[in-house]
Amino acid sequence: MRIDDHSEEVIAEMKRKVEEALNALGETAAARAADVAPIDTGRLKNSITYATKDYMGKKTYMDDEGNVWNDGAAKNKPDDTAVYIGTNVPYAKYQEYGTSKGVRAKHFIEYGANATFGDYAKTFLENVLKGD
């Protein structure tokens, strides 16, 4: 009786599925954050993205006035099991956390991440593990 070892193929497929799940979660979290982000020109809202080991976020985006921005993407590459949600717009931190000068904290990135976390198991099981 011959037994074939397919462990490498199984591990590779599992890694692919994890990356697929992280991308699905990042996309959902970024969209939810953008839905509640404060809007003036649309630059902040349209810049919200995510990064995984294999996807480093949007390279260009456009605000509601038609201005095209190319600020790059995530600066730090996530590890195999992480997804980063954020923006590279310099004033985003003041909108997220507020200021001592009266800008109220909006917590739009936190909302996107937290709202998505509750759906993690459902997204992972329904959209990723069931296969192609």
Side-chain angles (χ1 to χ4, degrees):
M1 179 176 176
R2 179 178 163 189
I3 299 175
D4 293 328
D5 181 5
H6 294 281
S7 58
E8 287 184 24
E9 292 98 344
V10 170
I11 290 169
E13 181 65 9
M14 289 173 63
K15 286 181 179 180
R16 189 183 73 75
K17 290 294 189 178
V18 167
E19 180 66 21
E20 192 176 321
L22 291 172
N23 280 311
L25 291 168
E27 189 174 318
T28 301
R32 287 179 172 173
D35 284 345
V36 298
I39 301 172
D40 184 12
T41 66
R43 180 180 180 202
L44 177 62
K45 175 182 177 146
N46 292 324
S47 72
I48 298 169
T49 191
Y50 69 96
T52 65
K53 177 180 70 77
D54 295 326
Y55 177 78
M56 291 302 288
K58 297 177 191 174
K59 300 294 184 199
T60 61
Y61 50 91
M62 184 182 300
D63 66 20
D64 291 343
E65 296 172 349
N67 299 307
V68 176
W69 301 88
N70 186 349
D71 290 340
K75 303 281 189 257
N76 299 317
K77 195 169 187 175
D79 66 25
D80 289 352
T81 58
V83 59
Y84 295 167
I85 297 106
T87 174
N88 53 14
V89 172
Y91 57 84
K93 62 184 170 188
Y94 306 116
Q95 294 294 324
E96 179 73 16
Y97 301 113
T99 68
S100 61
K101 301 202 188 288
V103 175
R104 198 179 103 258
K106 311 296 188 305
H107 301 297
F108 57 98
I109 298 291
E110 180 181 336
Y111 168 80
N114 287 339
T116 303
F117 183 76
D119 293 339
Y120 173 76
K122 181 179 179 188
T123 300
F124 186 74
L125 292 172
E126 290 181 1
N127 298 329
V128 177
L129 290 181
K130 70 180 176 183
D132 300 323

